[in-house]
Every structure is written in C-alpha cells, then in structure tokens.
Amino acid sequence: MEIESDFLVIGSGIAGLSFALKAARFGRVNLVTKKDNTESNTNYAQGGIAVVVSPEDSFQRHVEDTLEAGAGLCHPDAVEMLVREGPCGVRELMDWGVRFSLRKAGVFDLGREGGHSVKRIVHAADLTGREVERALVAAAKANPNITIFENHQAVDLLTEHHLKDKKQDGIHCWGAYVLDEGREVVFTFKSMVTFLATGGVGQVYLHTTNPGIATGDGIAMAYRAGASVANLEFTQFHPTTLYHPDANSFLISERLRGYGAVLKTKDGRTFMENYHPQGCLAPRDVVARAIDNELKKRGEDYVLLDATHLDKEGLRSHFPTIYQKCLSYNLDVTEEPIPVVPAAHYICGGVVTDLDGRTSIEGLFAGGEVACTGVHGANRLASNSLLEAVVFSDRAVKGTVKYWKEHKGKLPLIPTWSDEGTFDPEEWVLISHDKQEIQRLMWDYVGIVRATHRLKRAQERIQLIAKEVEDFYRKTRVTEGLIELRNITTVALLIIESAMRRKESRGLHYILDYPNTDDKYWKKDTIL
Ligand code: FAD
Ligand code: SIN
C-alpha cells in the first residue's frame, strides 16, 4: 500500500517534532516513529538546553566554549548559527508549551555543565527532555496537518535503487519503506521531501545511556542509499552513569557537577584537578578519559560522585528524578556518594548536511543527532544537542519548503515492497545473540581508549557477523529486531572504519598508537 504526503518525517524526538510542526504550516506531514510517540533520546534528556539568555553571558562566550570543546573540528559558521539562533529556538519551544524551571517570574533557573564558562543551561528540573516531548507531542497531535504513525519503523529510503527505470541524474529520495509493526506489513510512504530525525546510535555499545530505539537506523539507511556520513569516530561517552547491576546505565546529569558535586576515587580522593584546570567541569571527553584512567590504574570498577556536602533540600528539589531513582536502589544521594562509570551517550558525527539540513541526496534532509552539521566537531559541548536539533530543524524547514515547491508532483512510480521468496524468521535464534556480540566487541575494543590492533580485531569479527546478518535479511521476512540488528552492524563498522582512518588523537577519539593531535594532516572531517 502507498501513503503519500508533502513531507515525510522519520522520528518523533525534538528534531522530528519541531520540524513537523513548522512544515505543517506549508503542507501535509506524515510522521513515522518506531515506538510510541514519546520514546526517543529526547525523552531522557536531563541537564537541559545551553543558550545565551543571561546578561552575564554572551554569544561570543558560548561560541568559544563550543569551539574549545570541539577540539578544532567544529565548523565556525555552524556554531555561530547555533548560538545566535538559540534564544529564538528556546522561545519557540515555550510557545509550543514547554515549561522551563524559573528562579523567579520571567527569570530562568540557569544551570552549569562541563566545558561551559558560565551558567547557561535552561532546564525543566532534571526531566528537561520529558517536558519537551510532552509539549511537542501534544502540539503535533493537535495539528490537523500532521498524522503520526506510531509503531512504524522505516526500513530503507526510497531512491533510484528501487526504480525499474533508473535513468535519473544523481541520487534522489522519495520517501521510505516502512514496516507497520502491528500488522507486519511494509508500506510505501512516498514524499518529495524526507526529513530524517532518527536520533543516535547508543545501542551499538553494551553500556549506554540511550534507550532501545537508538540503533543508528537513520545513519545506516542514509549510508546504504549513498549519502555521505562523517566523523563517526567521535562517540561521546558520558562520564557519570549510575553503577548498579539493575540501573541500566541511568544518567547522573552533568548539571549535578555544575551544582557542586565532586568526583572522587573509592578511597575518597579528588582527582580531576590532575587532568584539567576546570577540574570536574572539564569537557566531557577529558572527564570520561580521566575516570577510565583512574579505574584502570587502580583496578577498580567505579568512581564516586559526592554530593553529600551540598544543601539537601536543594539537591532534592533540583534533581528529583536522580534523587528518587538512586533511592530506589537504597542510595540516598544526600547522605552517600554515588558510584558512577562512563557509558556511550552521543554520536557527534552522522549524515552530512549543509546549514539548511540538505544531505548529499536530493530530497533527503536530516536534523538532530542523526545529522552532522559541523556544530560538535570532535566533542559535543554539554546541552548543545537539544539546541542543535531545534535550531537546525528550523533551518531545514526553509530548505525543504523551497525544494518541495520546486519539485512537487514529480514522484516516480515505486515498486511496492516484496517479500516473495522469504520465510518466517524461525531461525531468528541463530543470530539473535549477534547484537550482544557486537555490543560487547564495540565496548571492549572501540571504547574510550582505542588501539589499532583492537579496532582491527573488532572489524574482522563484525564483518563476519555482517555477512551472516545480510544473508539472513535477504531470505527472511523483515521484523523490527532484524532491521535494528542490520543497522547496528552497519553503524558499528562505520564507526570502526572512521576510527581506523584517523591517525591521531583528538577530542573523543583517543588512540594509543597516535596519542598526539596532528593539526597539519588531520584537522579535517572523516567523510565516508
Ligand atoms: P531522538 O530524540 O532520539 O528521536 C529519534 C526518533 O526517531 C525516536 O522517535 C525514534 O523512535 C525514531 N526512530 C529511530 N529509528 C527509526 C526508524 N527506523 N523508523 C521510525 N522511527 C525511528 N542533550 C542535551 O542537549 N541536553 C541534555 O540534557 C541531554 N541529556 C541527555 C540525557 C540522556 C539520558 C540521553 C540519552 C541524551 C541526552 N542528550 C542531551 C542528548 C539529546 O537528548 C539527544 O541528542 C537529542 O534528544 C536527539 O534528538 P533527536 O530528535 O535527534 O533524536
Ligand atoms: C547531562 O544532563 O549530563 C546530559 C547533558 C547532555 O548530554 O548534553
């Protein structure tokens, strides 16, 4: 079956929803999302949104902090745009109904995070993302020009690859094949404009702050379709997630360090002063590597984040979710330090876009974590991600509307999905353990500190798995698990390939064979 619209949006996080709400002013929007409409990385964001709203702050300072964290690879024009358009983006979120925490009427309660030289994080207590999702989903549901398809998973983008008559210049995207998970049928969602907003890749790693949806689908689909992807070696590990067998890498927000919590080794000694002048509030790559180093040096499993010296009532009211979550594991953060470890958190690279969200494929635009706009360089500054999603989705609306007006009515005939000759996935059990194997290989060999021989080992093993998965995919009726496994495999190999190409250490990519930064040869993006 075919379902057509003026704009197709894939993903219902902050990028997809904010794009949809604006595109709906011009035409009909279909938004597909693979779980329920709020399930996204956005929904779990804690710290907040970095934005210049205080008289003590300036655009210049936010730009400088972003460039400094990005270790020489940020694109200055993209950063400038992010920072200058940030306040407008935050105002728009408020117009859609997002309620941020205030110190008093009309004054944001600003927090601070690693790498920021001043307090500039607007937030909704420690549940910023949930508040953003709540408001944007409600606004999208109320908009008659937007139709949301929950439990609909994009399988692949529709491009020349799917046409019988392939006579076209360049590569074009006309929508996506989408699996209706309930009915187990693949539909053809057609549109002259496709906005990819599928988020991150955390599930490629064994330990991650990301929810189950973060399987790199957008990067894998775009790459398969022929789009350029870049800077995938820059996987960001968040320094502080709760160390507890049942906690599933629950994030302990960096804003807690901004509030005064201090990192210590198990024997109660501080250590961050030995690594960076900003101590516990150094950029994230520095803190994660310092923790990794302390753990290896001391043969210990976790470090401590100590907030016990801080005002107890203040802690409870500013961090109610963290407080309650830790309490559910019998840990009162006002009385005891929190055991923490790093976990995979964010991908700085992604599908290459220009400043208006255009990818290298005609008709395919991207925004949010799936995109590589040039803002984050080799290391994202804390709380710049939600900001990037909202600012660059706005830019993309302008780009897409222009493209749509020029090309509407030119959709080609696209064959419907065929699963002829495939069988039901009874043999699923044979490859279901592949996901865990990839996650473990990535964690052990492609983690915070890398080495060429380890990368090669991971690459060889994952290549074998990739072949197995691809064979299985060709023969089997598609399921949600199989689509995700295929994408995880593709993205894992892309991360390794990017990491092997960069023969220096920079930002989040630290490799023992090349421990120094080499600006002469490597101050450039890794484009695949
Ligand atoms: P997401 O919010 O991840 O949305 C992606 C959407 O795409 C989801 O709806 C998903 O279901 C859907 N999707 C994926 N694949 C498919 C498919 N094949 N078919 C259909 N739908 C699909 N950043 C900050 O700036 N500040 C913070 O305080 C902050 N805290 C964070 C805390 C946590 C625990 C995590 C995990 C991240 C945090 N980040 C933070 C990062 C930030 O939340 C994300 O980078 C950002 O929300 C990404 O938004 P997005 O819209 O691009 O993607
Ligand atoms: C956090 O709250 O520590 C996460 C912030 C971010 O990822 O930007």
Side-chain angles (χ1 to χ4, degrees):
M1 195 172 103
E2 283 191 358
I3 302 173
E4 203 179 312
S5 60
D6 299 318
F7 303 91
L8 172 65
V9 178
I10 308 178
S12 60
I14 186 170
L17 288 166
S18 60
F19 175 90
L21 283 163
K22 290 192 174 172
R25 293 173 194 160
F26 302 92
R28 286 168 305 116
V29 179
N30 281 340
L31 185 153
V32 297
T33 188
K34 69 178 173 179
K35 291 278 161 238
D36 72 47
N37 48 34
T38 55
E39 190 57 359
S40 57
N41 274 4
T42 303
N43 203 37
Y44 296 85
Q46 292 185 359
I49 306 182
V51 67
V52 178
V53 287
S54 142
E56 279 98 68
D57 200 0
S58 68
F59 289 148
Q60 167 96 2
R61 287 184 82 163
H62 191 181
V63 167
E64 279 168 9
D65 291 346
T66 303
L67 296 177
E68 172 73 24
L73 282 200
C74 298
H75 298 190
D77 53 349
V79 174
E80 194 74 34
M81 186 171 289
L82 171 88
V83 167
R84 287 186 179 276
E85 296 187 11
C88 180
V90 166
R91 256 192 318 275
E92 278 173 343
L93 289 176
M94 292 168 73
D95 290 343
W96 282 318
V98 179
R99 293 185 294 254
F100 292 109
S101 300
L102 301 178
R103 198 149 46 81
K104 58 182 185 192
V107 182
F108 291 112
D109 176 39
L110 294 178
R112 184 158 173 203
E113 290 178 348
H116 290 275
S117 55
V118 290
K119 286 186 169 187
R120 65 164 70 95
I121 316 295
V122 302
H123 60 95
D126 57 356
L127 276 178
T128 309
R130 189 170 303 176
E131 171 59 10
V132 168
E133 278 292 310
R134 179 201 64 72
L136 298 192
V137 166
K141 277 185 173 171
N143 191 312
N145 249 4
I146 301 178
T147 310
I148 302 182
F149 295 82
E150 291 181 294
N151 303 308
H152 278 64
Q153 182 176 24
V155 182
D156 256 326
L157 299 170
L158 302 174
T159 59
E160 275 77 0
H161 299 90
H162 303 104
L163 295 190
K164 291 209 175 77
D165 173 14
K166 298 190 180 177
K167 281 184 228 121
Q168 295 267 351
D169 292 330
I171 310 177
H172 298 74
C173 178
W174 298 289
Y177 285 125
V178 175
L179 171 69
D180 175 339
E181 289 160 15
R183 285 191 274 180
E184 299 183 356
V185 180
V186 176
F187 291 110
T188 312
F189 275 72
K190 289 174 75 171
S191 179
M192 274 320 289
V193 168
T194 303
F195 185 68
L196 202 54
T198 47
V201 309
Q203 290 296 325
V204 167
Y205 285 90
L206 190 62
H207 302 293
T208 177
T209 61
N210 292 190
I213 53 99
T215 50
D217 297 5
I219 293 175
M221 286 190 293
Y223 180 74
R224 279 196 294 270
S228 298
V229 296
N231 291 356
L232 295 171
E233 67 274 38
F234 300 115
T235 325
Q236 185 167 72
F237 291 81
H238 196 290
T240 56
T241 68
L242 182 59
Y243 177 81
H244 187 283
D246 302 327
N248 218 358
S249 300
F250 174 74
L251 185 81
I252 306 294
S253 175
E254 205 157 299
R255 211 158 48 75
L256 192 56
R257 271 176 282 140
Y259 195 71
V262 177
L263 283 163
K264 295 179 176 172
T265 49
K266 249 171 154 177
D267 58 2
R269 289 175 205 215
T270 60
F271 56 91
M272 275 312 302
E273 64 278 12
N274 304 326
Y275 292 89
H276 197 275
Q278 281 176 286
C280 290
L281 285 174
R284 212 169 264 179
D285 57 333
V286 177
V287 183
R289 224 163 20 246
I291 294 176
D292 187 68
N293 190 42
E294 290 296 323
L295 295 181
K296 284 184 178 145
K297 206 167 72 183
R298 307 168 68 90
E300 290 173 351
D301 294 333
Y302 58 85
V303 294
L304 298 169
L305 183 62
D306 192 354
T308 56
H309 54 290
L310 301 171
D311 167 57
K312 296 185 191 328
E313 197 33 55
L315 268 180
R316 280 190 284 263
S317 64
H318 279 84
F319 302 96
T321 316
I322 293 174
Y323 176 75
Q324 284 302 336
K325 182 78 173 185
C326 291
L327 209 55
S328 73
Y329 296 115
N330 293 321
L331 176 74
D332 181 345
V333 303
T334 66
E335 301 291 342
E336 289 166 84
I338 312 167
V340 290
V341 283
H345 183 61
Y346 184 84
I347 188 89
C348 293
V351 182
V352 176
T353 69
D354 67 9
L355 297 181
D356 293 327
R358 269 184 220 97
T359 70
S360 57
I361 294 182
E362 292 272 304
L364 179 67
F365 296 74
E369 192 166 340
V370 71
C372 182
T373 59
V375 156
H376 306 305
N379 178 35
R380 172 176 69 96
L381 183 67
S383 286
N384 264 356
S385 169
L386 295 172
L387 184 70
E388 181 200 30
V390 83
V391 165
F392 282 83
S393 297
D394 174 64
R395 305 273 319 177
V397 173
K398 291 164 191 146
T400 52
V401 168
K402 183 166 177 287
Y403 182 86
W404 169 67
K405 283 185 178 155
E406 287 164 6
H407 294 85
K408 63 182 169 183
K410 293 186 192 160
L411 281 168
L413 275 178
I414 291 171
T416 51
W417 180 265
S418 163
D419 47 20
E420 218 173 279
T422 59
F423 56 84
D424 279 339
E426 290 140 9
E427 300 294 300
W428 172 242
V429 67
L430 292 180
I431 62 160
S432 60
H433 73 281
D434 284 352
K435 180 173 166 189
Q436 268 201 347
E437 198 177 337
I438 295 170
Q439 290 172 325
R440 184 160 283 289
L441 284 164
M442 292 299 286
W443 185 255
D444 289 344
Y445 300 149
V446 197
I448 298 174
V449 174
R450 297 163 178 176
T452 304
H453 70 283
R454 286 166 167 251
L455 293 176
K456 275 196 186 133
R457 199 181 169 99
Q459 188 182 46
E460 282 164 12
R461 295 190 179 191
I462 298 176
Q463 274 168 345
L464 289 177
I465 298 174
K467 191 176 170 316
E468 214 171 273
V469 171
E470 206 52 38
D471 286 349
F472 197 76
Y473 178 83
R474 300 272 156 229
K475 289 190 278 192
T476 315
R477 208 162 41 72
V478 287
T479 61
E480 192 195 334
L482 182 54
I483 297 166
E484 291 187 346
L485 175 61
R486 184 176 182 230
N487 292 333
I488 283 179
T489 311
T490 303
V491 172
L493 287 173
L494 291 173
I495 293 174
I496 296 171
E497 172 69 24
S498 309
M500 286 175 72
R501 286 205 190 180
R502 184 170 289 280
K503 302 211 181 315
E504 64 154 0
S505 291
R506 182 187 293 274
L508 295 157
H509 174 67
Y510 185 80
I511 181 155
L512 292 168
D513 315 65
Y514 309 99
N516 300 318
T517 300
D518 180 352
D519 275 344
K520 191 159 168 221
Y521 292 107
W522 294 107
K523 200 172 173 188
K524 57 185 178 195
D525 295 330
T526 308
I527 300 179
L528 302 180

